[in-house]
Amino acid sequence: FKEPFLGVKLNVRDIDTSIKFYTDILGMKVMKNNFESFLTRDETNIALGYESPKKDEDLTMMVLNQGAEAPVIEQFEGRHAISIPAKKLQEAYAVIQTNHPELIVHEIMELDEQLGILFIAIVKDFDGFEICLVSSETFDKAVKSAADFKEPDWSVRKELIATRKEQEKTRAARKMTGVIGGVTSSSFKAPKDGAGLQERATAVFNHVKDTVIAGKYSKKEGNFLFTGFWVGFFIVLTGVHQLTLLGA
């Protein structure tokens, strides 16, 4: 089993105070293994974690960094989970409840899950970072049963990205050219018998707009043709009106 996560890094106000919280209360230890690839060459970086009973098992570290600015914890900042044996979780919670009750966000609960009894409690460290403490006996089994730890199918991912790009290009092209899909000549609504000149012209105009313009011309060309059509229409209408007056 290859652990996919190398560690969680937090900026803290006072690194010595934070070390005491994670070591004295949560039972972590300062890690002295070969973690240089993760840490920067800075004395303010300290890696903490739990020793594994298996020598070949990968560890996920808690890395504390004392930066130039104190961390600012806001609402909906999120929280990270720490999986430890139920007995240690209960002991850590008892210490917090006795000495630092203000750090308790949600009291400890005992849940009867499908894979066993799950203990869970949500607390804060001295900087305000929220931590979800869960009992490893059940939580770890639930995580392993819910994940295969395989890489994504990158070929499928590339196909999906390519398809999405093509769809975006098509939408952009339709937006620029004013294309309206699904319109055919069958959409032409013939005017009624005896209809006047204006009604007949309107029927032809709507048909041209919905078929020829939308499917074959750019938006700019369409606007030009629309304008020309209406100008021509009113010129004809004016001419007919003048002839009618002359005839009268």
Side-chain angles (χ1 to χ4, degrees), residues 10-15 18 42 44-45 64-74 127 129:
L10 300 177
N11 290 327
V12 298
R13 292 183 180 88
D14 183 270
I15 199 164
S18 297
D42 190 338
T44 59
N45 276 328
L64 306 178
N65 177 69
Q66 185 172 326
E69 298 181 0
V72 178
I73 310 299
E74 299 180 351
D127 285 294
F129 290 108

Side-chain angles (χ1 to χ4, degrees), residues 150-162:
K150 295 180 180 178
E151 288 190 7
D153 189 329
W154 298 110
S155 61
V156 173
R157 182 183 175 88
K158 289 180 67 175
E159 291 177 4
L160 291 174
I161 293 175

Side-chain angles (χ1 to χ4, degrees), residues 81-86 89 118-121 132-136 139:
I82 296 179
S83 174
I84 56 177
L89 188 157
L118 176 69
F119 290 90
I120 180 171
C132 182
L133 300 174
V134 289
S135 54
S136 57
F139 183 78

Side-chain angles (χ1 to χ4, degrees), residues 60-79:
T60 302
M61 299 175 295
M62 175 71 70
V63 180
L64 306 178
N65 177 69
Q66 185 172 326
E69 298 181 0
V72 178
I73 310 299
E74 299 180 351
Q75 190 178 21
F76 306 116
E77 193 74 26
R79 60 175 66 107

